[in-house]
Amino acid sequence: MPLEDIKKNRLNKLKAIERNEINAFPARVQRTHNLAEALDQFDNLKDQELFLTGRLVARREHGGSTFVDLEDFSGQLQLYFKKNILDKKYQFFLDNIDIGDFLEVNGFLFFTKKLEKTLEVRDFKIITKTLSPLPTQWYGLTDTEERYRRRYLDLIMNKEVRKIFETRSKIITALRKFLDDDKFIEVETPILQPLYGGATAKPFKTKLNALNLNLYLRIAVELYLKRLIVGGFEKIYEIGRDFRNEGMDRTHNPEFTMLELYIAYKDYNYLMEFTEKMFLNIVNSVFQHHEIEFQGEKINFNKLPWQRIEFETLVNNELGEDYKKMSLEKLNRKFKELKIEADPQVKKNKIKLIDEIYKKQTLPRIIQPTFIINHPIEISPLAKEKEDDKTKVERFQLIVGGLEIVNAFSELNNPLEQEKRFKNQKKLKEKG
């Protein structure tokens, strides 16, 4: 049936419900248990009348009876509608209730002949009449973009997506607990900023009309957290939204959440040990195990200390020779051999080429938790240089499952050196 005809049919059912002087969208609902509680406490609740609510997601008619699957956020339960119990309301149910409608039902739990836990419905009430059908084919859609645009529909049909939302919430809760227990102070810093910074990214622009002031949505929370460190705080963090007006792919979104934390008097060696403890704590807290599965790979967070590999060593192993001794022309040939796509400006800069080879060729193959350390100074303008090698900085990236999860460094706090690097960056920007 065409979608417009389905909607018209449902609208007619709504009018029929209203003709019976029934409110299809009542403000109050009676509910004694969610569906998971009804299932988990089945034996103890069998003799009690329960009031349950949820969305009707399937129904199967058998003569004078109908089995229905009711779903709420906690789970799914089978309902049993019987004509000789509900009398005239049974036909009303058949005529006017559709898959996707929300119901309040009351009745008693029992086992069917197939030993399925079921609620025998003694009465029911419609609490929301839906005028559009559920996207029953949604799960099989190949248009991933459409699923992301209309997440609410994806959540209805795909329980795994809902599980991701739940897991994300648990991870953030565990993060906060770990940091709060370690005496960190959570702060909030401005999203609207007169001067954006803290990363190399293109900002979103906006305007504060009251002051006739041009502003930017922040690309990072970094600069304001540093000011708090200057002001005397020693352990601070923010879990905040950042905005970057750039391209989109599976690891980049224009609006995203990021945790940034700062600890005074510590260096990147301390931070690596701290990161190991933090991740192991979160994984054990959320998953009750130190090993998780990601895209078919088992990732073990308990093998401490995690491997540490020099950025230079990693890239040289990829190239088969020392990149410092390679000419720009030779690097470009290697770039072409590896079939890596990049902005034409990247091909004019040796270190940018190296960084692209690392990001697109080497990094995706690192599955177990690994620290990539001591990056070239040219691509790390905010990190402190190593005392024994001025061409590198005290920086690390944590790679897990082929993704960069953490970027951190010993903070550069020499104002003259910082100014010199910023001026150098400005010259490079002017050259494209």
Side-chain angles (χ1 to χ4, degrees), residues 327-357:
S327 66
L328 181 61
E329 292 74 20
K330 190 173 184 180
L331 264 176
N332 267 301
R333 286 198 298 273
K334 187 68 177 177
F335 206 73
K336 193 173 182 180
E337 286 173 24
L338 294 171
K339 297 179 180 178
I340 300 173
E341 292 184 12
D343 189 289
Q345 294 294 340
V346 169
K347 298 174 184 179
K348 297 178 182 179
N349 185 292
K350 190 173 176 179
I351 291 298
K352 287 287 185 185
L353 276 171
I354 293 300
D355 195 36
E356 285 296 305
I357 290 170

Side-chain angles (χ1 to χ4, degrees), residues 84-96:
N84 62 6
I85 293 176
L86 294 169
D87 198 20
K88 292 179 181 179
K89 289 197 79 172
Y90 180 76
Q91 191 60 47
F92 176 86
F93 169 79
L94 294 181
D95 292 342
N96 299 297

Side-chain angles (χ1 to χ4, degrees), residues 39-134:
L39 289 167
D40 293 342
Q41 303 170 39
F42 185 87
D43 291 335
N44 295 328
L45 296 174
K46 276 195 296 185
D47 297 325
Q48 295 182 34
E49 184 176 19
L50 305 185
F51 284 79
L52 307 176
T53 60
R55 187 198 305 268
L56 193 157
V57 293
R59 85 180 190 184
R60 302 164 292 281
E61 292 181 38
H62 301 280
S65 62
T66 300
F67 286 95
V68 163
D69 292 335
L70 192 72
E71 183 176 280
D72 68 8
F73 186 76
S74 71
Q76 195 173 104
L77 178 69
Q78 180 171 266
L79 308 180
Y80 181 53
F81 287 75
K82 198 169 171 68
K83 185 177 181 180
N84 62 6
I85 293 176
L86 294 169
D87 198 20
K88 292 179 181 179
K89 289 197 79 172
Y90 180 76
Q91 191 60 47
F92 176 86
F93 169 79
L94 294 181
D95 292 342
N96 299 297
I97 306 302
D98 293 297
I99 290 175
D101 291 350
F102 285 82
L103 298 178
E104 172 198 298
V105 297
N106 60 288
F108 294 86
L109 294 169
F110 76 102
F111 278 115
T112 65
K113 291 178 181 178
K114 294 182 179 180
L115 297 179
E116 292 179 273
K117 294 177 179 179
T118 305
L119 182 89
E120 183 182 82
V121 177
R122 299 297 174 89
D123 199 3
F124 70 92
K125 180 173 80 172
I126 185 163
I127 56 178
T128 295
K129 179 66 186 171
T130 56
L131 301 182
S132 294
L134 290 180

Side-chain angles (χ1 to χ4, degrees), residues 166-177:
E166 291 179 60
T167 303
R168 180 187 184 278
S169 177
K170 290 176 182 177
I171 288 171
I172 291 174
T173 299
L175 266 172
R176 276 200 170 95
K177 185 176 188 313

